[in-house]
């Protein structure tokens, strides 16, 4: 199922894809299309009633990921976001901060979609069905090849979406720790809230 018009942004699919692809590399554009496809599949499997929103969240989730650090810093200031965000980097900012850029550029106001995009990198302790669909779709889309992706896909598409959230979070935390980089506190809250879903 592919939708031809997205009322949440007032654009046809072709217009939307033009805007998105103008803002990113071909490789990332392929990734966001894969995430949209995976989000649709998860919406169907787990009974999310608005598949168009799942697809749109997938298409928009990494919008303008190539935004400069300077622009992010200006947005943190302009919207008076938590100043602690200044201690982090693009990986953490591109969901939490970029949502304001998506709102500015596309007029997106739908609170379910903006929330899902906002937390797609770090998750949250209490995720809606759409939040989980986008978080997991980003991890299991067809282009991902990391070790364990088969287990993640089986949990996501077949067995248990909460367990898929947990699997992704456990592995992301372990990966970040192995690289000796700081872990954003909200990522730890997601870990604590979902880890026992794997038992
Ligand atoms: P992508 O945008 O499709 O590449 O995927 P994500 O938005 O899920 O993640 C972007 C990057 O952020 C990945 O390299 C993650 O490992 C990294 N990341 C996720 N959570 C955290 C965190 O808590 N702290 C830091 N420093 N990086 C994180
Ligand atoms: Fe992302
Ligand atoms: Fe992504």
């Amino acid at each position: 199922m592919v939708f031809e018009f997205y009322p949440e942004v007032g654009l046809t699919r072709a217009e939307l894809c033009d805007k998105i692809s103008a803002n990113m590399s071909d490789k990332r554009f392929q990734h966001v299309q894969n995430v949209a496809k995976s989000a649709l599949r998860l919406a169907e499997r787990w009974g999310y009633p608005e598949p168009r929103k799942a697809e749109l969240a997938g298409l928009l989730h990494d919008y303008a990921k190539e935004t400069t650090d300077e622009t992010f810093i200006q947005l943190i200031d302009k919207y008076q976001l938590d100043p602690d965000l200044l201690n982090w980097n693009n990986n953490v900012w591109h969901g939490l901060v970029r949502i304001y850029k998506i709102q500015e550029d596309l007029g997106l106001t739908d609170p379910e979609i903006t929330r899902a995009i906002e937390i797609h990198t770090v998750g949250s302790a209490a995720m809606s069905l759409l939040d989980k669909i986008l978080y997991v779709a980003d991890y299991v889309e067809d282009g991902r090849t990391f070790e364990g992706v088969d287990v993640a896909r089986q949990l996501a598409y077949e067995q248990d979406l909460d367990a898929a959230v947990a699997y992704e979070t456990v592995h992301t935390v372990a990966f970040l720790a192995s690289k000796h980089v700081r872990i954003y506190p909200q990522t730890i809250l997601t870990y604590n809230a979902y880890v026992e879903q794997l038992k």
Side-chain angles (χ1 to χ4, degrees), residues 146-166:
F146 57 84
E147 210 186 315
V149 71
D150 292 343
V151 178
R153 285 188 181 127
Q154 205 179 6
L155 291 172
Y157 293 129
E158 286 164 38
Q159 294 173 345
D160 183 340
L161 186 61
D162 286 325
V165 169

Side-chain angles (χ1 to χ4, degrees), residues 5-193:
F5 185 71
Y6 299 89
E8 293 82 3
V9 287
L11 296 172
T12 64
R13 184 181 177 84
E15 288 165 344
L16 180 62
C17 285
D18 280 352
K19 274 202 184 225
I20 294 170
S21 60
N23 268 296
M24 60 183 63
S25 65
D26 290 351
K27 190 169 167 229
R28 187 164 301 282
F29 186 53
Q30 183 63 52
H31 164 67
V32 303
Q33 289 178 294
N34 287 349
V35 174
K37 189 175 133 203
S38 172
L40 265 180
R41 189 171 158 193
L42 292 169
E44 189 172 329
R45 170 67 182 89
W46 301 108
Y48 180 65
E50 294 180 275
R52 187 188 64 242
K53 284 196 190 187
E55 193 185 36
L56 185 57
L59 288 171
L60 288 178
H61 83 283
D62 277 339
Y63 180 81
K65 189 166 176 181
E66 282 120 49
T67 301
T68 62
D69 285 2
E70 214 166 56
T71 305
F72 280 126
I73 289 164
Q74 282 167 4
L75 287 167
I76 292 169
D77 186 47
K78 180 171 173 186
Y79 291 97
Q80 303 188 332
L81 307 180
D82 182 355
D84 174 61
L85 280 165
L86 294 169
N87 299 318
W88 296 85
N89 61 23
N90 180 289
N91 281 343
V92 165
W93 292 338
H94 82 275
L96 296 174
V97 179
R98 188 152 32 115
I99 192 60
Y100 294 90
K101 182 148 176 60
I102 298 176
Q103 286 172 359
E104 284 185 1
D105 286 10
L106 296 169
L108 178 75
T109 56
D110 183 286
E112 267 186 85
I113 301 176
T114 51
R115 176 69 181 163
I117 295 173
E118 184 181 7
I119 64 165
H120 85 265
T121 306
V122 297
S124 108
M127 294 166 80
S128 72
L129 180 53
L130 183 60
D131 295 341
K132 292 175 197 171
I133 285 172
L134 182 60
Y135 183 78
V136 169
D138 196 11
Y139 197 61
V140 302
E141 59 95 343
D142 290 351
R144 299 288 194 197
T145 55
F146 57 84
E147 210 186 315
V149 71
D150 292 343
V151 178
R153 285 188 181 127
Q154 205 179 6
L155 291 172
Y157 293 129
E158 286 164 38
Q159 294 173 345
D160 183 340
L161 186 61
D162 286 325
V165 169
Y167 188 88
E168 169 174 352
T169 310
V170 166
H171 286 262
T172 300
V173 167
F175 170 76
L176 294 169
S178 78
K179 297 276 172 206
H180 303 171
V181 301
R182 287 183 295 140
I183 296 172
Y184 194 66
Q186 193 170 321
T187 302
I188 302 291
L189 297 181
T190 308
Y191 174 92
N192 287 338

